[in-house]
Amino acid sequence: MQVFHDVEEYRKTWLNWRKAGEVIGFIPTMGCLHDGHISLVKAAQKQCSKIVVSIFVNPSQFSPDEDYDAYPRTVDNDVELLKKNNVDAVFVPSVNTMYPSGITMDVDKQEGAFVEALGVSHQMEGKFRPHFFRGVCTVVCKLFNIVRPDKTFFGQKDIQQTVVLRRMVRDLFLPLEFIVVPIYRQEDGLAMSSRNRYLSEEQRKISCVFSQALLKAKALFEQGTRDRATLIKVATETIEAEKSVRLEYLSLAHPTTLEELDTIGEDGAILSGAMYVGTTRLIDNVTLGFSF
């Protein structure tokens, strides 16, 4: 496995792969890797002959009140894990490489080129993290231009992110296939996340109420329920019955426009939300009436 820090060094390898007719799959990450990330690697290996994973903690998706410096960085362990799983290349750029004009978390003072996907970034997660998807779109667009993959793989757990980035790929005519991989869950239903490491054993057990609530609503949908009020109510009541968690929001949205729905139509819907267990914020979702 090759580890690259420099764009031009990677591109020499990319050129050799391209000449050899390799199909390149790409998985962007912020590191702190777990089995959910490895599920993306395995999905990519089924469709691609070369796999590239990037590790970069992206400052532009953090707001000034979020602690960018405190985000866990486990690059050495991540590289070993990817090596064990037969990844072909890891791209670990510096902040200066990714932001040659420099970067500050104060959006009003930022300089350089940035990317936004308007219309799908302001709702749901965007209500609580208003500059988050601007940062995500910017860094992922840069990484796509560096890595030049044929296919890219993202996890369903960050479902709004997949909708936002698909819109970016479509509207900017980026020449790659965007593939969404189902959520990797632990046996008790908890979605795998880097944030799970912050949960105590007791909090870990409590957190399962989130997936249980979403699955209750999904069962109602599969029995024929289509109205927002009923589906949101059953999920909300299930979560709020666990007094030690705090529900931040639940959304029932169209799968491509992210418009909030009163009734689920033939296109289906995304039921998603966020909740706090102690100080740890968790997100989760289920798809209703459609699949990726």
Side-chain angles (χ1 to χ4, degrees), residues 266-283:
E266 62 182 14
D267 292 339
I270 296 166
L271 178 61
S272 65
M275 76 173 195
Y276 279 89
V277 183
T279 59
T280 302
R281 186 177 188 269
L282 302 177
I283 61 173

Side-chain angles (χ1 to χ4, degrees), residues 199-219:
L199 300 172
S200 68
E201 186 174 344
E202 184 60 29
Q203 288 175 328
R204 173 76 181 62
K205 294 175 182 176
I206 292 168
S207 299
C208 299
V209 72
F210 204 173
S211 61
Q212 291 165 5
L214 296 175
L215 289 173
K216 274 190 181 181
K218 183 164 187 170

Side-chain angles (χ1 to χ4, degrees), residues 117-129:
L118 301 179
V120 288
S121 297
H122 66 278
Q123 60 275 74
M124 298 160 65
E125 287 293 289
K127 282 186 179 179
F128 302 93
R129 307 179 74 188

Side-chain angles (χ1 to χ4, degrees), residues 74-244:
T74 58
V75 174
D76 290 343
N77 290 339
D78 294 341
V79 167
E80 284 304 309
L81 180 62
L82 295 172
K83 185 175 181 180
K84 288 177 183 176
N85 282 276
N86 301 312
V87 167
D88 298 282
V90 184
F91 180 56
V92 190
S94 67
V95 173
N96 288 338
T97 295
M98 296 304 294
Y99 292 94
S101 297
I103 188 67
T104 171
M105 260 76 88
D106 185 342
V107 172
D108 294 332
K109 296 181 180 178
Q110 288 175 349
E111 297 181 0
F114 291 84
V115 181
E116 292 185 88
L118 301 179
V120 288
S121 297
H122 66 278
Q123 60 275 74
M124 298 160 65
E125 287 293 289
K127 282 186 179 179
F128 302 93
R129 307 179 74 188
H131 306 301
F132 175 73
F133 290 114
R134 178 178 183 267
V136 169
C137 285
T138 297
V139 77
V140 171
C141 190
K142 289 170 182 270
L143 288 167
F144 285 165
N145 287 330
I146 293 167
V147 176
R148 300 180 186 179
D150 299 291
K151 303 184 182 190
T152 189
F153 297 80
F154 283 80
Q156 180 191 322
K157 189 181 78 68
D158 299 297
I159 198 164
Q160 185 176 5
Q161 176 175 272
T162 69
V163 175
V164 169
L165 291 175
R166 273 182 155 178
R167 180 74 64 89
M168 180 188 77
V169 167
R170 184 197 74 179
D171 288 2
L172 296 183
F173 303 97
L174 299 180
L176 55 86
E177 183 180 355
F178 194 102
I179 297 163
V180 180
V181 178
I183 295 173
Y184 186 91
R185 296 187 183 276
Q186 297 179 269
E187 290 184 5
D188 56 11
L190 183 64
M192 284 295 299
S193 169
S194 300
R195 296 184 180 189
N196 292 355
R197 64 172 55 202
Y198 298 125
L199 300 172
S200 68
E201 186 174 344
E202 184 60 29
Q203 288 175 328
R204 173 76 181 62
K205 294 175 182 176
I206 292 168
S207 299
C208 299
V209 72
F210 204 173
S211 61
Q212 291 165 5
L214 296 175
L215 289 173
K216 274 190 181 181
K218 183 164 187 170
L220 278 182
F221 170 81
E222 291 173 346
Q223 292 163 17
T225 301
R226 296 293 182 270
D227 66 288
R228 174 190 187 87
T230 302
L231 295 170
I232 292 289
K233 180 181 179 183
V234 70
T236 299
E237 289 179 347
T238 301
I239 292 169
E240 292 183 343
E242 177 51 69
K243 301 302 182 184
S244 56

